[in-house]
Amino acid sequence: MAVRTKLVAGNWKMNGLRADGAALARGLAKRAIAAAHAGPRCELLVCPPASLLTTVAGALAGSGIALGGQDCHATAKGAYTGDISPEMLADAGCSHVILGHSERRHGHGEGDAAVREKVLGAWRAGLVAILCVGETQVQRQAGQASDIVAAQLAGSVPNGAAADNLVVAYEPVWAIGTGLTATLDDIATMHAAVRARIPAGARILYGGSVNPQNAADILGLAEVDGALVGGASLDAESFWTIARCCA
Ligand code: PEP
């Protein structure tokens, strides 16, 4: 079986002005360059707000840390006020884009069909789609977690998915930004269920209050191919400490 290199991705959400983004990116780049031969055994990605992409791209140059968007429209251009296209993200230096994050699904009413179109748009522009799935607290308590995640995958993964164009992030909605995390058993069980539904070799990240204290246990699970990190990615030392947990 091919080894899946772990991926630790930072979702900065709607945080930071240019000076903040540049300082955070420089802090990460400095650590990555200094540890080039003995650094974390994983790939690193940061997904800043769209307004910071070019600033952060400049600060990360030569560090090996990749850049991603937090969302995109499905189409390449047109009359879509306030949106950003996959091609624009690629043009700004992005290699990845987060899609179907729960803050888009629940805060902006995005359903699986819309997310699926966005994945296709990302692929058209040559981006890797990081597709987020996850159940709410009510759904978990009702014993529906695996059915919900299976339905999200069925509805939002298009034909043509492959290990090099799709990453799935399992993010229980109730664990995002709350300080709560799923148990290691629940993470392992859900990741195994997701694994059975996606192309061989595609990576599955865990997301939901990953921090420097819990990262080693979570990233140590065989079924976990990395982490999608929100709050703890806004501090260079925290994010770096999490990345270093990739043994
Ligand atoms: C996220 O935004 O995808 C996330 C997991 O956030 P946090 O780490 O803050 O829970």
Side-chain angles (χ1 to χ4, degrees), residues 57-120:
L60 293 178
S63 70
I65 301 174
L67 187 69
Q70 297 179 8
D71 182 44
C72 65
H73 198 277
T75 58
K77 62 179 181 177
Y80 302 105
T81 303
D83 280 315
I84 189 163
S85 77
E87 282 76 4
M88 290 169 176
L89 291 178
D91 187 48
C94 294
S95 52
H96 293 68
V97 60
I98 298 169
L99 294 173
H101 191 282
S102 74
E103 288 153 14
R104 304 290 318 174
R105 290 180 183 268
H106 297 281
H108 294 260
E110 288 184 11
D112 290 327
V115 174
R116 183 180 178 283
E117 292 307 308
K118 292 181 178 204
V119 174
L120 287 168

Side-chain angles (χ1 to χ4, degrees), residues 11 13 101 103 171 175-178 207-210 228-232:
N11 175 12
K13 310 196 189 195
H101 191 282
E103 288 153 14
E171 300 205 299
I176 296 178
T178 59
S209 297
V210 175
L228 181 53
V229 186

Side-chain angles (χ1 to χ4, degrees), residues 2 11-12 27 39 48 60 77-78 96 117 132 147 156 159 161 163 180 191 198 208-209 215-216 232 236 241 245:
N11 175 12
W12 294 5
L60 293 178
K77 62 179 181 177
H96 293 68
E117 292 307 308
C132 301
D147 289 346
S156 47
N159 289 336
L180 303 171
H191 278 226
I198 61 172
S209 297
T241 303
C245 292

